[in-house]
Structure formats: structure tokens, C-alpha cells
Amino acid sequence: MTENRTIYLDGVYTAYEGANVPTLRNISLEVREGEYVLVGGPNGAGKTTLLESIMGMLKITHGSASVCGLDVRKEGLQVRRKVGYVIQNFAFDPLTPYTAEQVVMMGRYGIMGCLKRPCKADFRAADQAMHLVGIEDLAAKPIGILSGGQQQKVLIAQNLAKEPSLLLLDEPFSNLDIAAREFITGILENIAGKGISIMMVSHAFDDLPDRDIRVLVMNDGNITYDAVSHPGDVEARVKSASGVV
Amino acid sequence: MLECIIPNNIVCHAVEAMLFASIACSVLGVIITQIKISSIGFTMAHAAFAGAALGLFLNIGSTSMAILCSIVVAMLIGPLSQKAKMSVDTTLGVLFGISMALAIFFIAYMQYLGRGFNANVLLFGDVISLYREEVYSLAIISLVAVVFVALFYKEITTIIFDRKIAVSSGINVTPIYYATLFIIALTVALSLNIIGGLLLYVWLVTPAAIVYQFCYNVRDMFMLAPVVAALISVSGALYSLEVSLPVGPFTAVLFSIVFALAVIISPKRKISRSKI
């Protein structure tokens, strides 16, 4: 049973440096290959902290955490090379000197390792990711002049170029229009169908895939609700578990 | 190295020193300006200045102490920001203040003790009275800076773009960040006698700021910044030596003029205006 486990957290505590109390408390969670997980809950509940703990970007103070078969506490760097993470609240300078293609290629840099140049396989992976997200025409454009939605797509392509075993997304729909949301939802559903697990923090419940998805609700650093739900019921369940009437 | 082109030894050493200092500073300047820690330039320069003053006070060689103090400050930036929960910019401001205070203290104390000390060389530089070894060390550090950027180009450009994205991509950010600070510290300390603590900032920031006006690609910035810096520095040095003007300050003014022209004719400025 353990071989198809993508995320395994057992009694995990995470605290920011200098904080008196842990941000995540006693989190136990298991996510399997190809599972589609939505994480909801109020602001400050610990949703982003959960994603960053899974990525090994925050220090796990207690408990054990294994992602893609790797110990997060000891092999954080390797975990980050296998897991895609689309960050929240990005803001790029309009004149920042990077093209969309260069930003997508950054997704490959960790896997390549130090002192190695991108090879054909890396360029192919970046091209495929841009094709999948539908941004080939933006490849040569400076990222700073793109709209928020286009930048969001570039970041999603960057993480798909990594060919991840697990994709974490933090509010991926926040900058997207309705058409783009539907398009990205379709891509994520397709990815999950290929056995890649998806964990997404979102407050947008209109654009969920047409399949049963697992819903986690976090409150005050704990997972207070964990159940599989039909997309139409997700909003009501998240609201109810978050204490919103 | 350039004796076959410039027969006069003094002029030759001056031109070589300006050439190597400008290459090293401008390559590192692209990182400094794009990562938005420009204040690292004057903080490191003043740490080197304080180290040089301490070296002269203790009679143990100004350059070695300048290098040591710059490296200590470079290694303090990250941990101090983290422990004191301050932004890197605030930390740089604090370290700048401490370095300046120490430098002034040692200079004033030496004057009080009656030990004559002229701080002009450390503040404004002196390309006329350089030893061959100083020029060679600058050549080595400029080579180190260029090779470092070439070897870790993909990691450096990702860190410059967004540190969080670099971390999540699986790049080992911390060693590369500290190696960059280490090379900046060495470059600043070795350039102190040539350019001076007060003017070094111009060499670190202005070339990158000039090419930024024309480049939409960070790779072009890394390629063009040393070329522009070398052209301005060498022509500034040659002209000022020819007409007996202070080399460092004259070249710094030349950098500023080129920067002003670059801003005026920048295609980016036209784009910004047309958008309005």
C-alpha cells in the first residue's frame, strides 16, 4: 500500500523561526497517486504553510513526513525537484528582463543539477508544458508585460516542465478569467488522470473537475474536515467546516 | 599584460586595473541590481574601507584587512537579517553605519596619535601608484567573477528572478547566494585602492543600470554590462591621464553621463510613455 502513497504526514508540527506556537499542529495526512485534493479554510488557517511544509521549504519540528518516497526533513532538496509548486501572490516588475520561455525553463533547473546546461530533453519538456497550457505564442515575450492570468499560466507551465509526481497549487485561479479557469481545470483533470497527485488551495469552487474530489478543510493549523465530495457539494462542505453559515 | 599596446608602465597599469575592476564589478552589478540589494555596494565598500583603516592602524597591511572585513560583513548579512528579523536592506544599512563608524574612529585615532594618515586613496582611489601584484589580483578576481556567473548561470538567474521560485525549483540557493556575496566582498576589497570606497558604488551599479535601459533579457545584461563598463572605464582612464584629471572621479562622471543618455534614448522609456 505504501508504494502508491505520494504524501504521508504523521503527527507533523511546523513552526516559523522565532514563533512561540507552531503554525501546523499534529497534521496526519495520506495522499495517493492521482488523487485530486482541494484544501479550503479561512485565511490564516495554515493552508499555504501545509503546502510549504510538504515542499520542505519550512522546518518540520516534530513528526515524520514523506513525499514521493523521500523523507522531507532529510531530503528536502530532492523533494522540491520532484514536486511542482505554483506559488501564490507573485508580482513581476513590468520591465523584468526574462522571457516567458526562460521562466518556464527554470522548472527544469533543479532536476538538471549544478554545472549542467539544458539538453534537448529539457527544451522538449519546456515546449510540451507551454503547449499544454497554451502559451507557445507568449514564449519570446517578457514576462513582466503579460497579464496576471498569462503570468499564472507561465508559472503553471514552469511546474509542469518539471514533470512532477505531485503538483501543489496555491490559489491558482486568483488571476484567471472564466475561460482560462475552465482551461486550467481541464489541464489539471488531465494531469490527475495520468497518476499525478494534485493538491490545490483554492477559494474558487465553480471550476472544479467533474469527478469526486477529496476536500480538506483547515482551521487554526489543524485539518478539521477530510472527506471525498462531489464537486457540486464542495462549497457547502467547506463553508460548513469553516464555520461559515 | 597590455604593455605591447601601452608602452608607458603607469598608464598601462592604470588601464589594466580599470579594465579588470570594471569587468568584475559590472558582472556582479547585474546580480546586485536585479536582486535589488544595491546598497550592498556601499556597505561592502565601507566595510573594506574600515578594514583598510584598521590594517593601517595595526600596521598589518590595508588590503588583507580590507578583504577580511568585507568577507566578514558579507557572511553577516544573511544570518543577521534572519536572527534580527530585519529586511536585507535594513541589515545592510546597519552594517554600513557600523563600518563607517569604525573607519572614522581608526582614522581619527591615528591622527590623535600623531600618525599621519591620508584617507584620500581609500576614499577616491589612486590608479597611478599601483603595484603589478594588485593588477594581477584584480585580473584573477574578474576572471573568477565571470567564470562563477558562467558556471552557475541558470541558478543565479533563477535566484535573481524570484528566490522563492528558485527554492521550490530544487535549486540549492543558500551556497550560491553566499558564494556571490563572497565574490562581491573580494572584488570590492581589491578595487578599493583603484576606485575608492566612495566611488566604487558607481562601478557596481551604473553599468547594469545602463544596459537595463536596452535589455529585455538578463543574458544580454550579463554580456553587455562588462563591455559597456570596460569601454567607459578604459576611455575615462586614458583621457583623464592624458589631460591630468583625477581618473576615478572623472570616469565616474563619464558613467553618469552615459547613464543619463541611456535613459533618454531608452526604448523601454518610450514603451512606458506610449502606454500612458
Side-chain angles (χ1 to χ4, degrees):
Chain A
M1 288 294 276
T2 55
E3 63 270 17
N4 64 356
R5 216 159 53 181
T6 312
I7 302 174
Y8 176 71
L9 307 180
D10 184 22
V12 162
Y13 286 73
T14 303
Y16 286 96
E17 197 175 303
N20 295 323
V21 287
T23 312
L24 294 186
R25 289 196 292 273
N26 200 21
I27 298 280
S28 293
L29 173 69
E30 203 173 312
V31 175
R32 301 195 168 274
E33 271 177 22
E35 214 171 344
Y36 199 119
V37 184
L38 182 124
V39 185
N43 294 334
K47 303 183 292 296
T48 301
T49 308
L50 175 65
L51 298 190
E52 295 193 352
S53 302
I54 290 167
M55 285 294 283
M57 291 165 76
L58 291 175
K59 195 176 174 186
I60 292 170
T61 53
H62 295 90
S64 62
S66 157
V67 173
C68 302
L70 297 161
D71 185 337
V72 178
R73 294 174 81 167
K74 291 178 185 161
E75 300 166 289
L77 199 64
Q78 298 306 321
V79 168
R80 291 191 284 280
R81 289 173 181 174
K82 283 193 158 193
V83 180
Y85 176 39
V86 181
I87 59 168
Q88 184 192 21
N89 295 334
F90 54 85
F92 304 122
D93 186 324
L95 298 177
T96 195
Y98 291 86
T99 62
E101 189 177 26
Q102 285 174 324
V103 175
V104 173
M105 186 54 98
M106 285 174 193
R108 301 290 301 176
Y109 289 169
I111 310 164
M112 281 181 222
C114 261
L115 307 176
K116 300 228 173 84
R117 298 268 168 227
C119 62
K120 277 183 185 172
D122 299 310
F123 286 111
R124 201 183 309 121
D127 286 345
Q128 280 173 353
M130 284 192 288
H131 175 73
L132 194 63
V133 183
I135 54 164
E136 304 104 309
D137 54 326
L138 305 177
K141 292 192 175 171
I143 187 155
I145 65 162
L146 303 181
S147 71
Q150 288 171 324
Q151 289 179 355
Q152 183 75 277
K153 285 182 182 176
V154 171
L155 290 186
I156 291 172
Q158 182 197 62
N159 283 282
L160 293 179
K162 207 188 257 188
E163 296 170 331
S165 308
L166 164 68
L167 185 61
L168 307 176
L169 303 105
D170 200 351
E171 299 284 2
F173 300 129
S174 54
N175 291 306
L176 301 180
D177 58 28
I178 296 166
R181 282 181 186 202
E182 282 180 6
F183 185 66
I184 296 296
T185 301
I187 292 167
L188 296 179
E189 198 171 351
N190 181 24
I191 292 167
K194 289 176 181 168
I196 298 169
S197 314
I198 290 176
M199 184 181 261
M200 176 171 74
V201 170
S202 181
H203 293 109
F205 304 112
D206 298 335
D207 299 288
L208 295 170
D210 190 21
R211 57 176 272 181
D212 282 350
I213 55 173
R214 185 169 164 194
V215 179
L216 300 181
V217 178
M218 295 192 71
N219 279 292
D220 201 21
N222 285 301
I223 295 173
T224 52
Y225 179 86
D226 182 355
V228 174
S229 170
H230 185 269
D233 302 331
V234 169
E235 185 167 3
R237 292 194 181 205
V238 171
K239 279 185 175 174
S240 160
S242 303
V244 180
V245 182
Chain B
M1 281 166 264
L2 296 175
E3 288 88 354
C4 51
I5 308 168
I6 309 166
N8 184 318
N9 249 356
I10 294 173
V11 177
C12 184
H13 282 176
V15 169
E16 285 171 349
M18 290 295 265
L19 177 68
F20 296 131
S22 62
I23 289 172
C25 288
S26 58
V27 166
L28 297 169
V30 174
I31 302 175
I32 290 169
T33 53
Q34 291 304 302
I35 224 165
K36 296 183 177 67
I37 50 166
S38 305
S39 43
I40 202 169
F42 58 76
T43 303
M44 292 276 200
H46 286 82
F49 179 44
L54 177 64
L56 290 168
F57 177 74
L58 299 172
N59 278 326
I60 51 170
S62 58
T63 307
S64 49
M65 283 306 285
I67 292 171
L68 184 68
C69 277
S70 306
I71 291 171
V72 167
V73 165
M75 297 304 117
L76 274 176
I77 295 167
L80 193 60
S81 304
Q82 224 167 27
K83 297 286 172 203
K85 305 227 170 292
M86 297 189 299
S87 69
V88 172
D89 195 49
T90 310
T91 307
L92 287 170
V94 170
L95 291 170
F96 163 72
I98 294 168
S99 304
M100 196 64 189
L102 284 173
I104 292 168
F105 172 79
F106 288 119
I107 291 167
Y109 197 54
M110 272 190 281
Q111 283 169 348
Y112 170 75
L113 294 175
R115 289 163 60 182
F117 173 63
N118 184 1
N120 281 358
V121 175
L122 296 177
L123 288 172
F124 308 114
D126 181 11
V127 291
I128 307 292
S129 46
L130 288 174
Y131 293 109
R132 189 176 288 272
E133 293 73 29
E134 290 178 281
V135 179
Y136 286 155
S137 356
L138 267 174
I140 292 167
I141 194 63
S142 67
L143 186 68
V144 168
V146 171
V147 169
F148 173 73
V149 170
L151 285 180
F152 298 100
Y153 179 76
K154 65 182 196 299
E155 288 82 5
I156 290 170
T157 50
T158 312
I159 294 167
I160 290 174
F161 177 67
D162 189 295
R163 198 169 163 154
K164 195 168 182 178
I165 286 177
V167 172
S168 70
S169 295
I171 289 170
N172 208 352
V173 170
T174 309
I176 291 169
Y177 187 71
Y178 277 100
T180 309
L181 293 179
F182 181 77
I183 295 171
I184 293 171
L186 277 180
T187 304
V188 165
L190 292 172
S191 306
L192 193 69
N193 282 344
I194 294 115
I195 299 164
L198 289 180
L199 295 175
L200 202 54
Y201 193 63
V202 176
W203 269 258
L204 278 170
V205 173
T206 316
I210 291 169
V211 297
Y212 181 73
Q213 301 303 318
F214 304 97
C215 295
Y216 295 92
N217 191 315
V218 75
R219 187 187 53 218
D220 298 343
M221 286 185 75
F222 276 117
M223 304 284 272
L224 276 179
V227 175
V228 168
L231 281 174
I232 297 172
S233 294
V234 170
S235 36
L238 286 171
Y239 182 76
S240 49
L241 287 169
E242 182 70 29
V243 296
S244 299
L245 287 170
V247 178
F250 176 77
T251 313
V253 171
L254 204 56
F255 266 114
S256 311
I257 292 168
V258 175
F259 172 71
L261 289 172
V263 171
I264 292 167
I265 61 170
S266 167
K268 285 185 177 178
R269 188 167 162 265
K270 284 173 193 156
I271 289 169
S272 308
R273 285 180 64 185
S274 65
K275 272 188 176 175
I276 298 162

